[in-house]
């Protein structure tokens, strides 16, 4: 979710096999550099494969270029890496959030499982509670939210959405990314 | 062109009584089918207040990717003395298969009218709600494909909303969204009508937090919530749009409001 000079990214903590809950502490957000974040939903084994693959690729980028990767560059890296597996895709639908290292402009985007990028100016959602999240974000979000207001908005949107989805929930992680500060908060949420 | 269309209605025969031979079927073989149901899309919403209830629905009628009508109401006044329903006190909204919805409305309306004729008084919402459940369950094995919501004022004058599944299972609630965009609207209602996930700031940590106290919403607040809920749904659901029909039920009767929604 985009705010004024800040972005937010959040995830729930449930890991399940259909209706069976396997874990209630399974974060889905990964950090690559100071202000580049990746959220992943989908098949758990692909989640760890993909997140590790990007850690490797981003580290290689950093060694070669001697600088951190920018969110926009990272988005294109995600896209091309996913399209490489066009006919045997990773079952993930990623979202990227971050601030541009030069201009500090907020950047968010989402992908399908074969790397088609969805650039958005407001918010990106992904996962089993997609419908609910679209409904919440579409009605709660407004332009130019300050960091604290953005935190409240993304948290209310996520919590209310996952409470209407049987396959999501068990608490949440929320990151608020500002120019020189990243705040991570843990939300308790309903435990059922 | 029709064969390349993604519209399910334009692929194959354009009618619901299919009798065309199946592709790849042996020579001379015919499959006879009867598809009695269509999903006509759209969404409905009902919220009960302290001394009023609001029933709302969009007015778009779709089949597949086609828009068949931009003004087809799904919210109806029930049980008035005349055909124009000017003195009705109960409102029914139906979403799903429009023809079944219409049939259900006609059936409930005539039952309410018969009740008035026989008993010399109008039916109250509680009785009407139970009767609607019976009507739906009577067709348990060939159901009305309609998600109904019934709204009115109870014996104490408080707003009452009853929601149903297609076979008559029902419950009285504060608020309910139905139809195509129900999954988009319902969590918004939890949050804004029942204040779910809202806590008193600084009242504790984790599960010790104190829930924000519930407060009955004013009519004006509810009307704004309904409009916001539909504006959100229109943005992300292709079957919802064109117009917003609202019925406000108060002790003075039923007031109908029509507002525009995006037509794209």
């Amino acid at each position: 979710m985009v705010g004024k000079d800040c972005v937010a990214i959040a995830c729930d903590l449930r890991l399940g096999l259909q209706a069976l809950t396997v874990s209630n502490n399974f974060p889905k957000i990964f950090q690559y550099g100071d202000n580049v974040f990746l959220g992943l939903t989908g098949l758990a084994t692909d989640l760890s494969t993909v997140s590790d693959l990007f850690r490797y690729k981003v580290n290689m980028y950093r060694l070669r270029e001697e600088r951190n990767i920018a969110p926009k560059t990272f988005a294109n890296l995600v896209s091309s890496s996913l399209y490489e597996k066009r006919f045997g895709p990773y079952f993930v639908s990623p979202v990227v959030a971050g601030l541009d290292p030069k201009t500090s402009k907020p950047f968010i985007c989402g992908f399908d499982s074969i790397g088609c990028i969805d650039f958005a100016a407001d918010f990106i959602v992904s996962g089993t509670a997609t419908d609910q999240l679209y409904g919440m974000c579409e009605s709660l979000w407004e332009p130019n939210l300050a960091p604290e207001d953005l935190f409240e908005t993304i948290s209310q949107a996520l919590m209310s959405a996952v409470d209407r989805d049987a396959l999501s929930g068990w608490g949440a992680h929320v990151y608020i990314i500002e120019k020189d500060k990243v705040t991570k908060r843990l939300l308790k949420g309903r435990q059922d | 062109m029709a064969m390349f269309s993604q519209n399910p209605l334009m692929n194959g025969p354009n009618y619901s009584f299919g009798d065309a031979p199946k592709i790849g079927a042996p020579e001379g073989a015919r499959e006879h089918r009867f598809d009695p149901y269509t999903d006509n899309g759209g969404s409905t919403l009902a919220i009960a207040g302290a001394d009023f209830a609001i029933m709302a629905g969009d007015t778009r009628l779709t089949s597949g990717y086609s828009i068949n009508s931009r003004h087809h109401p799904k919210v109806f006044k029930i049980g008035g003395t005349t055909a124009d329903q000017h003195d009705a006190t109960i409102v029914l909204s139906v979403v799903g298969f429009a023809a079944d919805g219409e049939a259900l409305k006609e059936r409930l309306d005539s039952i309410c009218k018969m009740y008035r004729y026989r008993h010399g008084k109008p039916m109250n919402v509680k009785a009407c709600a139970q009767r609607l459940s019976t009507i739906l369950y009577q067709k348990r094995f060939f159901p009305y494909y309609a998600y109904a919501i019934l709204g009115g004022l109870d014996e104490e004058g408080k707003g009452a909303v009853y929601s149903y599944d297609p076979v008559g299972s029902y419950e009285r609630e504060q608020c309910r969204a139905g139809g195509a965009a129900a999954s988009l609207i319902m969590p918004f209602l939890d949050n804004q009508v029942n204040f779910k996930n809202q806590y008193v700031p600084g009242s504790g940590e984790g599960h010790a937090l104190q829930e924000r106290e519930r407060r009955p919403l004013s009519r004006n607040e509810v009307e704004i919530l309904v409009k916001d809920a539909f504006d959100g749904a229109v943005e992300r659901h292709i079957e919802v749009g064109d117009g917003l029909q609202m019925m406000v039920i108060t002790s003075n009767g039923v007031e109908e409001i029509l507002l525009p929604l995006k037509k794209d």
Side-chain angles (χ1 to χ4, degrees):
Chain A
M1 207 178 256
V2 172
K4 187 168 172 53
D5 305 319
C6 56
V7 285
I9 182 168
C11 67
D12 70 330
L13 296 178
R14 182 177 182 270
L15 169 71
L17 266 169
Q18 307 278 14
L20 174 72
T21 302
V22 176
S23 166
N24 52 22
N25 188 18
F26 189 82
K28 295 159 193 71
I29 293 174
F30 306 90
Q31 189 170 1
Y32 300 96
D34 293 337
N35 46 23
V36 182
F37 288 80
L38 175 71
L40 291 168
T41 61
L43 184 68
T45 178
D46 284 350
L47 247 63
S48 55
T49 310
V50 167
S51 62
D52 287 352
L53 178 73
F54 287 130
R55 189 176 61 187
Y56 161 71
K57 288 194 173 185
V58 167
N59 284 342
M60 291 306 283
Y61 178 96
R62 198 185 290 115
L63 289 168
R64 207 163 29 228
E65 302 273 329
E66 296 183 345
R67 62 191 168 102
N68 280 325
I69 197 165
K72 217 169 276 182
T73 321
F74 182 64
N76 284 296
L77 176 69
V78 171
S79 175
S80 52
S81 304
L82 289 175
Y83 196 77
E84 234 168 52
K85 296 272 182 291
R86 170 65 178 79
F87 297 109
Y90 296 116
F91 296 119
V92 289
S93 31
V95 298
V96 164
L99 294 175
D100 188 279
K102 286 216 176 84
T103 62
S104 295
K105 264 178 75 179
F107 174 85
I108 57 164
C109 69
F111 311 82
D112 65 7
S113 60
I114 52 169
C116 175
I117 311 184
D118 168 11
F119 295 104
D122 41 18
F123 45 81
I124 290 286
V125 303
S126 146
T128 56
T130 298
D131 283 6
Q132 289 87 342
L133 283 165
Y134 269 132
M136 287 311 295
C137 294
E138 203 60 68
S139 46
L140 295 192
W141 185 85
E142 53 189 14
N144 298 118
L145 288 162
E148 276 308 302
D149 298 333
L150 184 66
F151 164 72
E152 197 60 37
T153 309
I154 196 171
S155 304
Q156 289 291 332
L158 185 76
M159 296 309 259
S160 298
V162 299
D163 283 354
R164 278 283 169 183
D165 177 24
L167 303 182
S168 310
W170 293 89
H173 284 182
V174 183
Y175 293 79
I176 306 293
I177 306 146
E178 294 166 75
K179 191 168 182 288
D180 37 30
K181 188 170 71 167
V182 175
T183 318
K184 179 184 178 185
R185 290 189 178 90
L186 314 178
L187 305 181
K188 199 83 180 136
R190 290 176 68 109
Q191 302 292 312
D192 59 2
Chain B
M1 272 315 280
M3 67 179 298
F4 300 113
S5 166
Q6 298 247 357
N7 186 338
L9 283 185
M10 288 173 72
N11 288 317
N14 262 305
Y15 38 81
S16 50
F17 298 86
D19 64 351
K22 229 182 164 183
I23 300 154
E27 189 64 32
R30 241 161 209 286
E31 186 191 31
H32 290 272
R33 271 191 325 180
F34 174 47
D35 298 331
Y37 295 122
T38 313
D39 186 350
N40 294 116
S43 232
T44 56
L45 167 55
I47 299 174
D51 56 355
F52 66 93
I54 294 190
M55 307 280 292
D58 71 317
T59 63
R60 177 175 288 184
L61 185 114
T62 64
S63 58
Y65 293 135
S66 311
I67 295 173
N68 290 343
S69 174
R70 295 196 191 275
H71 186 79
H72 186 97
K74 7 185 172 292
V75 191
F76 308 103
K77 296 178 193 172
I78 291 288
T81 51
T82 55
D84 69 355
Q85 305 280 11
H86 69 280
D87 55 352
T89 55
I90 295 173
V91 175
L92 173 75
S93 75
V94 279
V95 64
F97 182 26
D100 275 359
E102 198 94 352
L104 184 63
K105 179 244 328 182
E106 291 297 334
R107 183 121 174 246
L108 188 67
D109 186 42
S110 60
I111 284 168
C112 285
K113 283 184 163 63
M114 279 311 292
Y115 181 100
R116 190 195 287 269
Y117 175 65
R118 285 193 180 130
H119 296 83
K121 62 175 186 183
M123 212 173 189
N124 62 40
V125 250
K126 195 178 174 181
C128 193
Q130 176 57 53
R131 190 66 182 86
L132 178 55
S133 169
T134 316
I135 295 169
L136 289 164
Y137 197 77
Q138 276 173 350
K139 279 173 64 64
R140 171 66 178 78
F141 296 107
F142 183 24
Y144 287 115
Y145 175 37
Y147 292 88
I149 306 176
L150 196 71
L153 300 176
D154 66 9
E155 289 106 320
E156 296 165 41
K158 290 183 186 145
V161 162
Y162 292 88
S163 69
Y164 298 79
D165 76 353
V167 288
S169 170
Y170 80 114
E171 181 184 13
R172 183 173 171 180
E173 293 179 291
Q174 270 309 112
C175 59
R176 172 57 68 181
S183 55
L184 283 80
I185 298 176
M186 208 55 219
F188 176 66
L189 261 31
D190 291 338
N191 190 232
Q192 296 294 313
V193 177
N194 295 321
F195 299 146
K196 288 284 162 67
N197 286 306
Q198 297 201 323
Y199 297 95
V200 180
S203 60
E205 226 173 67
H207 288 147
L209 276 162
Q210 223 182 325
E211 282 181 23
R212 178 178 169 191
E213 203 180 328
R214 284 187 52 191
R215 147 183 87 77
L217 299 169
S218 71
R219 175 183 160 173
N220 190 250
E221 284 175 305
V222 173
E223 279 183 28
I224 290 168
L225 279 183
V226 170
K227 186 72 176 33
D228 286 351
F230 272 92
D231 281 337
V234 165
E235 207 65 44
R236 296 288 176 177
H237 204 111
I238 55 169
E239 291 175 354
V240 183
D242 293 327
L244 173 61
Q245 183 196 18
M246 265 198 268
M247 296 270 201
V248 186
I249 309 138
T250 62
S251 51
N252 299 321
V254 183
E255 190 185 324
E256 186 170 357
I257 303 167
L258 263 170
L259 296 168
L261 288 174
K262 280 173 68 168
K263 292 182 192 293
D264 56 5

